[in-house]
Amino acid sequence: MVKRRPDLPPRARGRLARRLTAAAALGQFELPVCDACDAVVFPLQEICRACLGDQMTWRSVASSGTLLTRTVIRHSTDAYFQAHRPIAMGTARLDCGPVVFARLSSDCTEVGGRVRLFNRLDRSGEQVFVATPEDVSVEPNVVGDPNRVVKGKAVLVTGADGGIGRALVEAFVKAGASRVWTASRKAAGPDARDDAIVRHVRMDVTDVASVEAAVAATGGGVDIVVNNAGVTAISGLLDADTIEGARQEIEVNYLGTLNVIRAFAPSMKQRREGVFVNVLTVLAHANLPSMGSYCASKAAALSMTQGVRAELAPWGVRVAAIFPSTVDTPASADSPPPKLRPAQVAEAVLRQIIDGTEDVYPGRIAADLYAGWRDSHKVVERELGLALPEPR
Amino acid sequence: MKKPRDYSGVAVTTPVSCEYVRTSRRTMPWFLGRAFSELVRRSGVDKADIDGLAVSSYQMVPDNGASMAEILGIRPRFLLDLPYGGASGVMALKRAARAVQDGDAEIVACLAGDIAAQGYGYNAAFSTFSRDHVYPNGGGGMNAVFALITSRYMSEFGATREDFGRICIAQRANSQGHPMALFDKPLTMDAYLSARSISEPLGLFDCVPRMCGSEGFLVMSEERAKALGQPYALIAGAVERHNAFPNEPVVSRFGIADECQLLYDMAGIGPQDVDFIEAYDDYPVMVAMELEAVGFSQPGEAVRLLREKDLTVEGDMPVNTSGGMLSLGQAGAGGGFVHMTEAIAQLSGQPLGRQVPEAEFGLVSCLGTVNYDRGVCTAAAILRRAG
């Protein structure tokens, strides 16, 4: 059991609520639906109130509803909430049936009015509902999580000279970051850019001393780190002449990312604030044998992502991951289309930070593959295995 | 609904409210033990003759009523744990009375109480639904839940903050002269309205302070009570209903609304015969709903009652004659007993505060167990003066 810190809201939730938190982490509005009578079952329980059905299936349900009641909390026995008063909260009746408690946006004041509900993570990384007027499309960070703000933040992007890296830098500048550090092994930044916002810092992610020097060079106040540096040998696990490519992938994609997180985490922990976004791949879930060693390194990075997320959650530091399919960059020039544009990935990363989600699968291909993997990871394993050319 | 068997032959005696303090280094069982020793001392009953025990406390886990029996050194043959908070007073009374009628016990000691201390009371772990779905939305606790119920009642029935203020002011007047009143100075409407906001629309004086303290009473046969020379009250009727209106999106009725007629049928009286009411007053909106549910007004029309009637001990509709929890504070699950002990005290001529003149019938209604968005457990009883 992780001890609660007073600068975070309560983390305690029951086992059933974990599933709701999982949906929030994925940006989904899902609730359990009774297999027998189709009633949406909430508050969470395992027996249907309507028909006593004992089997539920979690499904995406309509997030619209009506605001029933509203209050403004001006006193709390919880240290975190007491420090964050006043807090608007109320109950809403979902069109699909249940009455839910929710935090209310500042413009969500009309009792009886139509509302949209969002399933969100709070500052502790646990689930809460948020209600806004019905026409709102981007939930305005009602829980007041500083990690969901990009404007005014100091950002560092590793692998900044690559295709996705350049798009990320542009996206963060456009979103109002106060400083964007372009980190790469090179002495100068991409396009030799160095201005009031964008600054270059030399960093070899495989070299701990180099990473620590980069932390010092940035002054230690980086708020958002995007772990984008990565290498691909584009070879099978047995197909490669030596193990060097596989070793290099592990050194950069897994251990390099871990080096960066280990170097930047202490300052974030101290400030109780900070975000890591790890650029993974949907192939972190299942191995594509034609680039088998790369997939293995990303699987290691995914497992590491889960571990550091849990270690950093009690400190108010968020660890997110994005799982794209093939992206149209020089590194994947030989891969067949369809490919995501780097700007699409960068936009998804920005949106992910602003929405406070943990795992994002940008684009149709990644989303399909992820859905297939959730349905049966063995089916996806076979499909990817069959993509290997016939032996010659 | 078939009318239940009556409660004839059962006496309720020895109302005890004790040791009310804001904070204490003691543990909960000390407070229950104090109430128990008061029951023994004041009733004159031999401790060994107490063969039934009913206990209600939020702080019982990991122990239970059997642990209390060990602590008190008694050998009950009737044992009852009531983890229902505010509803436990009437629930204990009903069950203890049946045990006495059926011969399962001769003298049942009913005890309730808690301490107010860090880590106790309403917090994140109050209930599963609260922990998972309510408390994380701002940690407003019980206050926030009842703020929502109050705001809905106000908009639906045209109630104003002044209407709820009338309840608080009258109860404060009732606590004048009560030796255990936490708040014993008169409350003005200005002070009520201008008190700091806790959770809109609730202000400071709509919310009950948490206390340490304990409550108790004895249930036995009338013959036994007479033999002991104890003044006692009789049970004219009692009802309960839990999870009464689950399909109301926001609760607007008190849970025993549909049992009210049965309650009066058992007692053989009507609302006009009730001399005073002890209504669970965790928040004044519930007092309004309770007055409606027990037939003092039509649903949604308690407002008129509050504007026209005098709720003080000497008035034409005395409500919460000790000052209620709004004046005494709430000793956790003791809040589920405090209305019962006051009704017993009034009808047996031994109130700690002021006596309702010529009271013959008193009605107790209570509410407990706020799991999600409302109190789930509701119960009511009519007590009667003996003789």
XYZ file of all heavy atoms in Angstrom, chain B residues 208-243:
270
model
N -23.627 19.225 11.746
C -23.453 18.833 13.140
C -21.973 18.589 13.433
O -21.289 17.945 12.664
C -24.270 17.563 13.494
C -25.742 17.827 13.365
C -23.871 16.393 12.630
N -21.489 19.120 14.563
C -20.097 18.861 14.936
C -19.930 17.429 15.439
O -20.834 16.875 16.066
C -19.824 19.856 16.068
C -21.099 20.569 16.331
C -22.186 19.973 15.530
N -18.778 16.863 15.123
C -18.479 15.511 15.613
C -18.053 15.577 17.071
O -17.308 16.453 17.477
C -17.366 14.902 14.776
C -17.832 14.387 13.449
C -16.642 14.072 12.548
N -15.712 13.171 13.197
C -14.459 12.976 12.779
N -14.004 13.622 11.742
N -13.666 12.128 13.397
N -18.569 14.618 17.838
C -18.291 14.580 19.275
C -17.839 13.184 19.670
O -18.053 12.217 18.950
C -19.565 14.895 20.074
C -20.186 16.247 19.814
S -19.186 17.583 20.440
C -19.460 17.388 22.211
N -17.250 13.097 20.863
C -17.111 11.826 21.560
C -18.283 11.757 22.542
O -18.643 12.766 23.141
C -15.815 11.752 22.354
S -14.356 12.307 21.471
N -18.834 10.586 22.712
C -19.925 10.466 23.665
C -20.636 9.145 23.509
O -20.314 8.357 22.606
N -21.575 8.890 24.405
C -22.305 7.624 24.311
C -23.724 7.771 24.828
O -24.050 8.707 25.569
C -21.563 6.523 25.081
O -21.341 6.924 26.414
N -24.547 6.851 24.400
C -25.975 6.846 24.692
C -26.367 5.425 25.096
O -25.736 4.459 24.656
C -26.769 7.218 23.430
C -26.451 8.598 22.870
C -27.205 9.702 23.590
O -28.359 9.444 24.004
O -26.643 10.798 23.757
N -27.424 5.335 25.884
C -27.893 4.005 26.232
C -29.303 4.021 26.800
O -29.791 5.063 27.248
N -29.960 2.889 26.725
C -31.254 2.707 27.392
C -31.458 1.214 27.632
O -30.719 0.387 27.084
C -32.420 3.314 26.589
C -32.573 2.784 25.187
C -33.352 1.667 24.917
C -31.955 3.431 24.111
C -33.508 1.196 23.607
C -32.108 2.965 22.808
C -32.886 1.852 22.550
N -32.428 0.909 28.496
C -32.722 -0.481 28.814
C -34.103 -0.854 28.299
O -35.023 -0.036 28.332
C -32.685 -0.711 30.332
C -31.327 -0.571 31.020
C -31.519 -0.694 32.547
C -30.334 -1.609 30.514
N -34.225 -2.078 27.821
C -35.523 -2.616 27.402
C -35.805 -3.845 28.269
O -34.953 -4.733 28.398
C -35.508 -2.997 25.903
C -36.861 -3.571 25.482
C -35.155 -1.779 25.043
N -36.975 -3.853 28.894
C -37.347 -4.969 29.782
C -38.875 -5.053 29.849
O -39.564 -4.274 29.197
C -36.770 -4.737 31.196
C -37.309 -3.475 31.860
S -36.494 -3.067 33.429
C -34.946 -2.411 32.883
N -39.371 -6.007 30.614
C -40.822 -6.102 30.751
C -41.328 -4.984 31.664
O -40.583 -4.470 32.503
C -41.207 -7.464 31.333
O -40.762 -7.530 32.673
N -42.613 -4.636 31.496
C -43.204 -3.617 32.356
C -43.122 -4.032 33.822
O -42.841 -3.211 34.699
C -44.675 -3.409 31.983
C -44.890 -2.296 30.980
C -46.366 -1.889 30.944
O -47.091 -2.534 30.173
O -46.765 -0.968 31.675
N -43.365 -5.350 34.068
C -43.323 -5.835 35.460
C -41.950 -5.588 36.070
O -41.821 -5.162 37.224
C -43.640 -7.344 35.529
C -45.023 -7.736 35.060
C -45.126 -7.821 33.551
O -44.425 -8.649 32.955
O -45.908 -7.044 32.949
N -40.918 -5.899 35.277
C -39.548 -5.734 35.770
C -39.259 -4.262 36.083
O -38.654 -3.923 37.093
C -38.573 -6.278 34.722
C -37.141 -6.411 35.212
C -37.083 -7.461 36.322
N -35.711 -7.731 36.752
C -34.986 -8.771 36.341
N -35.505 -9.632 35.487
N -33.767 -8.958 36.799
N -39.728 -3.395 35.157
C -39.491 -1.960 35.360
C -40.186 -1.478 36.629
O -39.635 -0.696 37.407
C -39.989 -1.185 34.147
N -41.396 -1.977 36.823
C -42.143 -1.583 38.027
C -41.439 -2.089 39.280
O -41.294 -1.372 40.267
C -43.565 -2.145 37.973
C -44.489 -1.336 37.065
C -45.859 -2.007 36.955
C -46.728 -1.289 35.946
N -47.817 -2.180 35.447
N -40.944 -3.340 39.208
C -40.257 -3.928 40.358
C -39.003 -3.149 40.710
O -38.638 -3.024 41.878
C -39.906 -5.392 40.062
N -38.348 -2.629 39.664
C -37.139 -1.833 39.887
C -37.468 -0.410 40.316
O -36.582 0.352 40.686
C -36.294 -1.784 38.607
C -35.527 -3.053 38.228
C -35.038 -2.975 36.788
C -34.369 -3.303 39.183
N -38.739 -0.061 40.195
C -39.146 1.301 40.531
C -38.654 2.320 39.530
O -38.432 3.492 39.872
N -38.460 1.851 38.315
C -37.936 2.734 37.263
C -39.066 3.392 36.472
O -39.995 2.712 36.029
C -37.082 1.921 36.280
C -35.683 1.668 36.780
C -34.904 2.958 36.954
O -34.707 3.699 36.000
N -34.506 3.251 38.182
N -39.006 4.723 36.298
C -39.946 5.334 35.352
C -39.650 4.812 33.953
O -38.493 4.543 33.618
C -39.635 6.835 35.464
C -38.286 6.937 36.068
C -38.056 5.692 36.865
N -40.697 4.620 33.154
C -40.474 4.023 31.829
C -41.484 4.547 30.820
O -42.502 5.152 31.176
C -40.540 2.496 31.894
C -41.868 1.944 32.380
C -42.885 1.613 31.469
C -42.111 1.750 33.738
C -44.092 1.099 31.904
C -43.322 1.252 34.180
C -44.318 0.915 33.269
O -45.515 0.425 33.698
N -41.178 4.302 29.560
C -42.090 4.609 28.457
C -42.484 3.313 27.771
O -41.820 2.284 27.929
C -41.416 5.550 27.457
N -43.592 3.377 27.011
C -44.083 2.205 26.278
C -43.899 2.422 24.778
O -43.784 3.554 24.310
C -45.562 1.979 26.590
C -45.891 1.766 28.072
C -47.413 1.864 28.290
C -45.358 0.415 28.538
N -43.892 1.305 24.066
C -43.728 1.385 22.599
C -45.115 1.256 21.965
O -45.747 0.199 22.037
C -42.809 0.268 22.077
C -41.469 0.279 22.832
C -42.582 0.421 20.562
C -40.622 -0.965 22.583
N -45.579 2.339 21.356
C -46.915 2.310 20.743
C -46.863 1.759 19.327
O -47.839 1.196 18.826
C -47.509 3.724 20.744
N -45.731 1.908 18.669
C -45.591 1.397 17.311
C -44.189 1.666 16.800
O -43.496 2.556 17.309
N -43.784 0.870 15.836
C -42.445 1.082 15.260
C -42.401 0.483 13.863
O -42.973 -0.588 13.625
C -41.369 0.449 16.146
N -41.757 1.185 12.967
C -41.632 0.710 11.571
C -40.220 1.002 11.075
O -39.516 1.862 11.603
C -42.640 1.409 10.626
C -44.065 0.991 10.925
C -42.489 2.930 10.690
N -39.820 0.285 10.054
C -38.582 0.638 9.380
C -38.696 0.292 7.892
O -39.522 -0.539 7.500
C -37.379 -0.057 10.025
C -37.422 -1.566 10.044
C -36.307 -2.150 10.928
O -35.182 -2.215 10.440
O -36.592 -2.533 12.086
N -37.906 0.973 7.097
C -37.839 0.676 5.658
C -36.457 1.110 5.188
O -36.024 2.221 5.488
C -38.928 1.454 4.903
C -38.907 1.245 3.402
C -39.282 -0.162 2.974
N -40.711 -0.398 3.078
C -41.305 -1.544 2.711
N -40.591 -2.532 2.217
N -42.607 -1.683 2.848
N -35.799 0.207 4.506
C -34.442 0.506 4.050
C -34.375 0.498 2.525
O -35.068 -0.287 1.888
C -33.462 -0.507 4.653
C -33.657 -0.658 6.146
N -33.377 0.378 7.015
C -34.166 -1.666 6.900
C -33.674 -0.016 8.254
N -34.161 -1.241 8.214
N -33.538 1.377 2.003
C -33.430 1.528 0.539
C -34.822 1.771 -0.050
O -35.243 1.112 -1.001
C -32.791 0.271 -0.076
C -32.290 0.508 -1.484
O -31.983 1.641 -1.858
N -32.221 -0.543 -2.272
